[in-house]
């Protein structure tokens, strides 16, 4: 699809969720092992809704730091915890050798769609969390951004104000919510640039082969699901192999279009499955083999 040399190959990062069973644990470590040779910029581990995976996120990200040569980023949200509690977690991450946090507000404890109620003595949004992190330790901080606007947001201009505030508080990278059409990214990146936002805006690329799950997530996040994509998956409910092939092909197509517009870093939502991320990066000619041969 494209021919990059080691010098100009785009950067990649991979996002995982913390496993909740022995089987899932084995899948995660197998995935990390298979994706490590690609040389990701970093791998990140999510923080469960409502802070439910605090221990597991910490354990997973610490083990990555201790047992692999990979740079690990820990996600952290403001939900359902006091500042003192969150500040304690920030300190624990630092003590474990973690130097990168993906700082988020998180979804309402009552579920997406309900009103967000900050903890009475907590950080009330991601901007406050970024400032809190930077005041405690000099972490690298990434934040989210929402090219199709956050579902609670009145407008893109408001979201850009929020993003600008997070950057002014110390974030140095924004990772996007997933989207399907390159124009969605470019429209947002142009608006961000016009708003004086100069940090890299890294597209988040979803690798979800389960169409029902994909549609549900898109609905919750406010991501437009194009008719063309729905048609491609139509009738494949009982055909996971074809859905996986399509998912990798569509992701690689989107990345190629983004790269043609100058994007040089892709963040993959792997759902802890190495094969889709490997297939996508290979379709993009990003593989240890091609990079070594350059
Ligand atoms: P924020 O940037 O804080 O903004 C959300 C909305 O809050 C804004 O649109 C605005 O309406 C309002 N807002 C924010 N600041 C202000 C302000 N100062 N004044 C007025 N209104 C304001 N969720 C998890 O639970 N765990 C994860 O690990 C996780 N990882 C994620 C990673 C990425 C890359 C992305 C894109 C999302 C992730 N999420 C995660 C989802 C995230 O929690 C949701 O998007 C959540 O609804 C909002 O958090 P945020 O940091 O994206 O939003």
């Amino acid at each position: 699809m494209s021919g990059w040399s080691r010098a100009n190959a785009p950067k990649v990062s991979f996002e995982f969720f913390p496993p909740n069973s022995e089987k899932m644990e084995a899948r995660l470590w197998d995935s990390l092992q298979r994706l490590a040779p690609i040389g990701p910029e970093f791998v990140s581990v999510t923080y469960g809704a409502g802070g439910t995976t605090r221990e597991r996120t910490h354990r997973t990200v610490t083990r990555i730091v201790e047992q692999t040569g990979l740079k690990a980023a820990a996600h952290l949200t403001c939900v359902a915890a006091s500042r003192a509690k969150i500040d304690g977690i920030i300190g624990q991450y630092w003590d474990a050798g973690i130097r990168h946090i993906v700082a988020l507000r998180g979804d309402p404890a009552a579920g997406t769609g309900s009103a967000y109620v900050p903890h009475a003595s907590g950080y009330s949004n991601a901007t406050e969390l970024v400032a809190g992190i930077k005041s405690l330790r000099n972490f690298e901080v990434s934040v989210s951004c929402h090219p199709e606007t956050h579902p609670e947001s009145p407008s893109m201009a408001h979201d850009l104000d929020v993003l600008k505030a997070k950057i002014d508080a110390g974030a140095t990278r924004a990772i996007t919510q997933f989207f399907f059409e390159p124009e969605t990214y470019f429209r947002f990146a142009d608006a961000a640039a016009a708003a004086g936002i100069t940090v890299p805006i890294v597209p988040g690329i979803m690798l979800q082969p389960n169409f029902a799950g994909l549609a549900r997530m898109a609905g919750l996040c406010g991501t437009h699901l194009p008719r063309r994509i729905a048609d491609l998956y139509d009738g494949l409910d009982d055909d996971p192999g074809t859905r996986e092939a399509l998912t990798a092909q569509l992701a690689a197509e989107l990345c190629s279009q983004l790269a043609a517009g100058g994007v040089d870093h892709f963040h993959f939502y792997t759902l802890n499955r190495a094969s889709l991320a490997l297939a996508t990066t290979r379709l993009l000619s990003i593989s240890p083999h091609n990079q070594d041969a350059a």
Side-chain angles (χ1 to χ4, degrees), residues 65 136 237 288:
V65 166
L136 290 168
D237 290 356

Coordinates of all heavy atoms in Angstrom, one line a residue, residues 65 136 237 288:
V65 N 6.6 -2.2 32.0 CA 7.8 -1.4 32.3 C 8.9 -2.4 32.8 O 10.1 -2.3 32.3 CB 7.6 -0.3 33.3 CG1 8.8 0.3 33.8 CG2 6.7 0.8 32.7
L136 N 2.7 17.6 40.4 CA 3.2 16.6 41.2 C 4.5 16.0 40.7 O 5.5 15.8 41.4 CB 2.2 15.4 41.4 CG 1.0 15.8 42.3 CD1 -0.1 14.7 42.1 CD2 1.4 16.0 43.7
D237 N -22.3 -11.6 10.2 CA -22.3 -11.9 11.6 C -21.7 -13.2 12.0 O -21.1 -13.4 13.0 CB -23.8 -11.9 12.1 CG -24.4 -10.5 12.1 OD1 -23.6 -9.6 11.8 OD2 -25.6 -10.4 12.4
P288 N 8.9 -5.0 11.2 CA 10.3 -5.1 11.5 C 11.1 -5.4 10.2 O 12.1 -4.8 9.9 CB 10.4 -6.2 12.5 CG 9.1 -6.4 13.1 CD 8.1 -5.9 12.0

